[in-house]
Amino acid sequence: TASDGYRAEGWSDLSLEMSYTLDLNNDFFLDLDTELILPTADPDNEIGTGVVGYFLGATLTYEQDWGYVSSSVGVDIGGDKVEPVFPGTPSVSLDAGLKVADGVFFGATYDWERVRNDSPVSEATAYLDMDISDDFSLYLYLLKGFTDNSSDIGTRATVTYRF
């Protein structure tokens, strides 16, 4: 729901993500991330982009028995966020997760993303990330936005399969 009273409802674009993890020393991990965004949502409803988009990024994570902290950088390439004079939309993220049980983490993330010449996207999320089997995990979150280009509030559920 936007502050001007507009409320967009519906499914978002379909996102296919892949990540490769490098073990740097058993405490530090580097994830190389890529994402393909397919325009399955209705852009006229201000939910989807209406065009194919790509994302490239990297995440450095420090992991211990109690949980983890991480920092990410990335860039969106394609989609409606790209300006002709700028090769992509940069983003940064800070994340911390606390282990509450084996395979279950509760955490918080702060995300910032530059969007065209408009105000940036600035959002915080609270999440629950849990293993539902050896191969699958479930990620649920609540989001709160802080700028005009951010969602005022939002939710998301993601199922992940590990090869």
Side-chain angles (χ1 to χ4, degrees), residues 62-121:
Y62 175 68
E63 190 173 304
Q64 291 292 301
D65 291 337
W66 52 265
Y68 58 87
V69 294
S70 67
S71 179
S72 302
V73 295
V75 64
D76 282 322
I77 303 167
D80 69 344
K81 298 178 183 176
V82 175
E83 300 171 6
V85 296
F86 190 73
T89 303
S91 61
V92 294
S93 177
L94 300 172
D95 182 29
L98 180 64
K99 184 177 181 178
V100 293
D102 285 342
V104 180
F105 293 88
F106 176 76
T109 302
Y110 174 76
D111 294 307
W112 178 92
E113 180 179 358
R114 178 180 176 266
V115 181
R116 292 170 289 207
N117 291 323
D118 298 331
S119 68
V121 171

